[in-house]
Amino acid sequence: MTQWTSAVGAAQLARLLSSQQERPAGPGTRRPPAYRALADGIRLLVLEGRVPVAARLPAERELALSLSVSRTTVAAAYEALRSEGFLESRRGAGSWTAVPAGNPLPARGLEPLPPEALGSMIDLGCAALPAPEPWLTRAVQGALEELPPYAHTHGDYPAGLPALRSMLAERYTARGIPTMPEQIMVTTGAMGAIDAICHLFAGRGERIAVESPSYANILQLMREAGARLVPVAMAEGLAGWDMDRWRQVLRDSAPRLAYVVADFHNPTGALADEDQRRVLVDAARSAGTVLVVDETMSELHLDDGVHMPRRVCSFDPAGSTVITVGSASKAFWAGMRIGWVRAAPDVIRSLVAARAYADLGTPVLEQLAVNWLLSTGGWEQAVEIRRAQARENRDDLVAAVRRELPEWEFSVPRGGLTLWVRTGGLSGSRLAEMGERVGVRVPSGPRFGVDGAFEGYVRLPFTVGGAVAEEAAVRLAAAARLVETGGSGGSETPRTFVA
């Protein structure tokens, strides 16, 4: 019986390996042998989760042809990986990836660190802030007061609590987008919303156009659903979308879905202007593409004078093209797993009907808490706390990175929660690996791309400030030195840090 559960083709593995950029070696720096560099590259792909554990690797001859190296080089690399526990082989079954005993399995995304690890590790992996108190406590207390009538029911509301659906519809209407409660479905976070939309509209093998880069967890969700991702490059800096590229992709590929983050894009922080929004809606309508718009960052404008364009769905009055997704997780708290979908009533009915075979509904108490916030004005006050916290963290992190790593390049966004950083020619994947050694956890650029793109980037969220932001930048600089010296820059170990 074979031990592998998937396979990686030679051409695909060669593309992934070629994306691993490295800074040119300086004078006196010894390059590793070719087999060692190949083994290190494959090991890094496994540790990053971009090549799954238990994935069958190509035969030695096949990979040698794709990489234009000798078969001896590939054989030596495979043998090195076997000796380190990253490869297992059996005659007649081939070779497949593994992890050594005691090593954690690599995650496809970056899950939050457990609380016990926070003393020694600064976590820049998750773009989420602590709850804005006292509003979380007040919302839960308010929800408990409203709970008794619901406790006498079965508790299953596949479309969401009627009171919360009405409240969300009123908020869209107040923004000049007439909306009925029948156009709203409450979901378990934005991820739950997009998962439901993908299952309804994009079956296995369907094309989905995505920004490049885009939100890592959504990209992985779509891959797991069997979608064929079609990347569309973002414009440079914070300029938003490249509309010529979007028109071409929608015209030539005719994707079933397109997923975009128009408001303070994750990870770049770009804000699409009104003209870009109007043109994209028109292009999607002409191509027959359903446009899924993620608005989870829409309330996180951080600077004075930021003009927020009209919502994308306002350019689709008939409701035939745009599906909007919102969430409480970024603007309020990630632990409040409440999201929603705004779409045409027939789409909502289809989503609700399909939910009977998924999660049945969203927790009632959390829905009541969000409804309490929205109906009392607590939401606006909590979001103001969140904006002030994110603004201060952003400014502290920007100053610290510019001081410790002046060769790194980035544009400072005026909202959102993330900084998209070009790492001066260093491999983002290797920075992430070395960061773990020195006590800072950071996601590498390829997590936000398709098929190995953005190796020269990392994403830094605005989740730490003050002395912690300064220490994070110091540790990132230490990780960069380790990358430059091939991991031999001394035995730097993380210090216990108390904020």
Side-chain angles (χ1 to χ4, degrees):
M1 181 177 177
T2 60
Q3 301 296 310
W4 50 273
T5 57
S6 62
V8 180
Q12 179 188 8
L13 184 56
R15 286 196 302 273
L16 291 170
L17 289 165
S18 67
S19 72
Q20 295 177 333
Q21 303 169 355
E22 291 190 75
R23 178 174 289 181
T29 302
R30 295 180 59 185
R31 289 187 177 275
Y35 85 88
R36 184 68 260 174
L38 176 55
D40 287 347
I42 295 174
R43 176 180 55 83
L44 193 58
L45 291 173
V46 173
L47 290 173
E48 273 273 295
R50 288 193 283 150
V51 169
V53 175
R56 187 178 187 272
L57 294 186
E60 295 170 1
R61 187 185 304 277
E62 186 181 2
L63 183 58
L65 287 172
S66 291
L67 295 175
S68 300
V69 299
S70 71
R71 183 179 176 182
T72 303
T73 296
V74 177
Y78 279 12
E79 180 57 37
L81 291 168
R82 274 190 290 270
S83 68
E84 296 163 2
F86 285 94
L87 198 68
E88 296 181 11
S89 304
R90 192 170 69 239
R91 187 178 298 277
S95 299
W96 56 92
T97 56
V99 292
N103 277 40
L105 288 175
R108 289 304 185 99
L110 275 177
E111 292 77 18
L113 280 173
E116 61 269 18
L118 294 177
S120 60
M121 184 72 70
I122 297 176
D123 187 7
L124 297 181
C126 186
L129 289 161
E133 289 286 28
W135 293 105
L136 174 61
T137 299
R138 292 180 183 177
V140 173
Q141 291 171 341
L144 286 171
E145 293 175 2
E146 299 291 332
L147 183 61
Y150 295 94
H152 294 291
T153 74
H154 51 63
D156 287 336
Y157 296 86
L161 293 184
L164 181 54
R165 297 176 73 195
S166 295
M167 179 60 64
L168 292 168
E170 288 175 14
R171 287 175 65 83
Y172 280 104
T173 300
R175 291 184 173 92
I177 308 164
T179 302
M180 303 179 294
E182 292 79 9
Q183 291 178 262
I184 301 292
M185 181 176 86
V186 181
T187 62
T188 308
M191 291 288 289
I194 294 170
D195 182 54
I197 293 166
C198 288
H199 279 89
L200 180 63
F201 284 95
R204 187 165 292 275
E206 292 275 10
R207 294 185 181 92
I208 301 179
V210 295
E211 296 151 326
S212 184
S214 186
Y215 179 38
N217 288 338
I218 293 297
L219 294 181
Q220 189 57 35
L221 182 155
M222 292 173 175
R223 292 187 189 102
E224 297 285 350
R228 297 164 60 191
L229 301 183
V230 183
V232 186
M234 296 285 290
E236 285 295 319
L238 300 176
W241 300 321
D242 184 324
M243 295 315 306
D244 288 338
R245 287 174 176 164
W246 269 107
R247 289 192 194 92
Q248 180 180 358
V249 167
L250 294 176
R251 181 181 64 247
D252 296 346
S253 298
R256 185 71 183 92
L257 287 179
Y259 168 75
V260 297
V261 185
D263 303 297
F264 307 118
H265 174 259
N266 186 354
T268 68
L271 178 66
D273 62 33
E274 284 201 4
D275 188 55
Q276 290 172 330
R277 297 169 189 232
R278 181 186 298 104
V279 171
L280 183 57
V281 171
D282 290 344
R285 185 183 296 114
S286 298
T289 297
V290 175
L291 188 61
V292 181
V293 181
D294 186 335
E295 290 188 342
T296 55
M297 297 281 192
S298 63
E299 298 194 57
L300 292 178
H301 46 89
L302 306 183
D303 294 335
D304 294 335
V306 176
H307 170 69
M308 292 302 297
R310 284 182 287 168
R311 301 292 178 95
V312 177
C313 57
S314 68
F315 300 101
D316 180 40
S320 59
T321 299
V322 176
I323 297 177
T324 302
V325 172
S327 171
S329 65
K330 300 299 185 185
F332 186 74
W333 185 47
M336 189 72 76
R337 304 306 304 159
I338 299 295
W340 53 87
V341 179
R342 181 198 179 274
D346 61 319
V347 172
I348 296 296
R349 286 192 294 270
S350 297
L351 289 170
V352 171
R355 198 170 193 181
Y357 309 101
D359 63 357
L360 292 177
T362 301
V364 170
L365 188 63
E366 293 185 24
Q367 292 187 70
L368 288 172
V370 171
N371 190 60
W372 184 92
L373 286 165
L374 294 174
S375 61
T376 63
W379 178 270
E380 283 73 19
Q381 295 184 63
V383 171
E384 276 301 320
I385 294 173
R386 170 67 73 243
R387 290 189 189 119
Q389 196 175 19
R391 183 187 308 115
E392 184 176 348
N393 286 356
R394 179 199 62 184
D395 295 346
D396 290 346
L397 187 64
V398 165
V401 172
R402 282 178 170 164
R403 181 179 62 253
E404 298 294 333
L405 293 150
E407 69 276 14
W408 286 17
E409 303 172 31
F410 51 85
S411 298
V412 181
R414 305 190 69 189
L417 288 172
T418 59
L419 198 66
W420 185 237
V421 180
R422 192 193 304 266
T423 57
L426 295 179
S427 162
S429 297
R430 288 184 165 80
L431 278 166
E433 182 186 20
M434 297 304 171
E436 295 275 352
R437 288 173 52 176
V438 299
V440 61
R441 195 164 181 255
V442 59
S444 66
R447 292 187 182 276
F448 304 89
V450 176
D451 211 12
F454 305 110
E455 184 61 58
Y457 290 81
V458 293
R459 189 195 72 170
L460 304 180
F462 314 145
T463 52
V464 296
V468 184
E470 293 177 8
E471 178 67 14
V474 168
R475 296 185 186 187
L476 284 170
R481 289 193 295 272
L482 287 174
V483 173
E484 290 175 318
T485 59
S488 59
S491 55
E492 299 187 60
T493 55
R495 298 171 285 175
T496 300
F497 188 85
V498 179

